[in-house]
Amino acid sequence: MTGSGDESFIAAVKPLVDAMGGDMLPPDEAGPDDVVLSWEGANVVAVRLPQLADSLDHILAAMERRQGMPLADLDRRAKQEVVRVLEARGAFSVRHGVETVAGALGVSRFTVYNYLNREKEG
């Protein structure tokens, strides 16, 4: 049974877990790859982290919400900025990351590579 302090702790970490695309579950349901969070000496909640590919989809969806429009509708400069942010977050180390980002931006893989190369040259 969780106390009010536990509920406050869970409420405090929920935005972070949501931003990562993770799931929260009772600590006794945690698997070996889950992260169990303790508060004041007691296990309060377990966090199941997303697979990297799912995380990229989650990041793209969050970027669309922040932009207030589909990423494909952004102008070229805004798309370049999206690629820069995604590169900084490791999006292109994920298998099929370039293809996934290209699809979300409505551009070709070649264009994404050009944006990445432009960033390195600048």
Side-chain angles (χ1 to χ4, degrees):
M1 182 165 193
T2 61
S4 64
D6 294 350
E7 291 169 12
S8 295
F9 177 77
I10 291 169
V13 298
K14 186 173 183 346
L16 176 61
V17 174
D18 289 347
M20 294 183 312
D23 294 311
M24 295 181 14
L25 52 145
D28 59 343
E29 294 179 19
D33 294 329
D34 296 332
V35 179
V36 177
L37 302 178
S38 298
W39 181 249
E40 296 179 350
N43 292 341
V44 177
V45 66
V47 177
R48 181 158 295 153
L49 299 172
Q51 298 297 311
L52 284 175
D54 295 337
S55 187
L56 179 55
D57 290 337
H58 189 81
I59 291 167
L60 289 167
M63 291 182 93
E64 278 196 349
R65 284 193 300 277
R66 271 195 299 266
Q67 295 289 337
M69 68 175 71
L71 297 178
D73 293 347
L74 298 174
D75 64 26
R76 183 175 54 85
R77 175 167 268 146
K79 287 179 182 181
Q80 289 171 334
E81 176 63 14
V82 165
V83 168
R84 187 193 65 71
V85 169
L86 290 170
E87 182 179 29
R89 294 189 68 180
F92 302 111
S93 63
V94 175
R95 186 167 185 229
H96 302 299
V98 171
E99 292 86 347
T100 301
V101 171
L105 292 175
V107 299
S108 69
R109 288 178 18 232
F110 180 76
T111 298
V112 172
Y113 284 119
N114 279 341
Y115 291 169
L116 289 167
N117 289 333
R118 172 183 295 258
E119 190 64 32
K120 287 178 176 65
E121 292 168 3

